Amino acid sequence: MLNFNGIDFSDIIIVNDVKRPILPPQNLVALSIVGRQGSFLFYKQSEAYTIDVKITIKGQDFADLRAKVRTLAERLYTEDVAPLIFADEPDKYIMAVVAEDSELEEIYTIGQGTIKFYCPDPFWYAVDDDIFTYNSPGTYEFSRKGTADSFPKIEIKGTNTNGSITISDGNNTMTFTGQLLSSETLVLDSDLITAYILKTNGDKVAVMDKLSNLDFPVLKKGTNTVSVTVSGGATISQVKIYCKSRWL
């Protein structure tokens, strides 16, 4: 089974083979110095990669084969990345877009070819994310899925006029000192490195200037501890943590 952009393709194609790397390509930045053995490794990062999917299309006749090819093309075409899911890991998705040529070899009423999915974000994410909700300030302990660090989105409902709301994961701590009305939601998005107030009408108002720093929370695999505290009369009625659990 192949599901892309929310569409199940099992009605028109047979997936013969899927080539996925054990790890994303690792880009190493190092420096060699004359007279010293080896080199200094400064950092490494996971790079984008391509997933090759070999497929077969079977038609009742030539016209039916071509009709299925047109349907396949329509389903595969997207302007941006979309979730890609395979049958052997139905609980995970990776964001992908079709790239390069996708030629099809046709013999009688059977077509075979390779679809190349380009994945700019090399991580796989949980289809059903770990989401935790709390109804008061405090220290929360929870466990999330995945094998890689994740960058959560945290939504906070409450009030603040002259006080502050502080969020910490034990390593990173940031404080919000802006105004927050009871009908609004403070959103801290670690992945996009942004913060905004969500109004009741859906409008978003940036509040990056109301943060003490840009040390957004990061979640480790397994057990995590996150604290949300208030001072100066600020209140909290709800804290919702979207873990954005992910795997390499």
Side-chain angles (χ1 to χ4, degrees), residues 63 166 205:
T166 299
V205 179

Side-chain angles (χ1 to χ4, degrees), residues 174 176 186-189 192-197 205-208 211 216:
M174 63 174 11
F176 170 74
L186 170 63
V187 180
L188 304 171
D189 194 324
L192 300 179
I193 314 180
T194 189
Y196 56 88
I197 296 292
V205 179
V207 291
M208 295 289 285
L211 300 178
F216 283 83

Side-chain angles (χ1 to χ4, degrees), residues 123 144 147-151 218-221 244-246:
F123 293 92
R144 48 147 283 225
T147 59
D149 291 352
S150 69
F151 300 99
V218 178
L219 301 182
K220 305 294 184 180
K221 66 176 183 179
K244 296 187 177 180
S245 300
R246 63 183 190 171

Side-chain angles (χ1 to χ4, degrees), residues 35-82:
R36 182 187 184 280
Q37 302 296 323
S39 61
F40 291 101
L41 177 64
F42 291 106
Y43 69 89
K44 74 170 186 174
Q45 64 181 25
S46 297
E47 297 289 317
Y49 61 90
T50 300
I51 297 175
D52 290 350
V53 181
K54 294 183 178 180
I55 65 163
T56 296
I57 306 176
K58 294 182 178 180
Q60 298 297 321
D61 50 37
F62 291 119
D64 183 51
L65 175 61
R66 293 311 306 165
K68 287 183 177 179
V69 172
R70 294 301 179 192
T71 300
L72 177 62
E74 180 183 11
R75 293 182 183 182
L76 288 174
Y77 182 81
T78 59
E79 292 288 344
D80 203 352
V81 292

Side-chain angles (χ1 to χ4, degrees), residues 149-170:
D149 291 352
S150 69
F151 300 99
K153 181 173 74 171
I154 299 177
E155 297 179 348
I156 299 174
K157 292 184 178 180
T159 61
N160 186 47
T161 302
N162 297 313
S164 64
I165 300 173
T166 299
I167 304 93
S168 176
D169 64 7

Side-chain angles (χ1 to χ4, degrees), residues 82-98:
L84 174 64
I85 303 171
F86 294 103
D88 56 354
E89 290 189 302
D91 61 333
K92 303 175 183 67
Y93 71 89
I94 191 168
M95 300 303 290
V97 64
V98 175

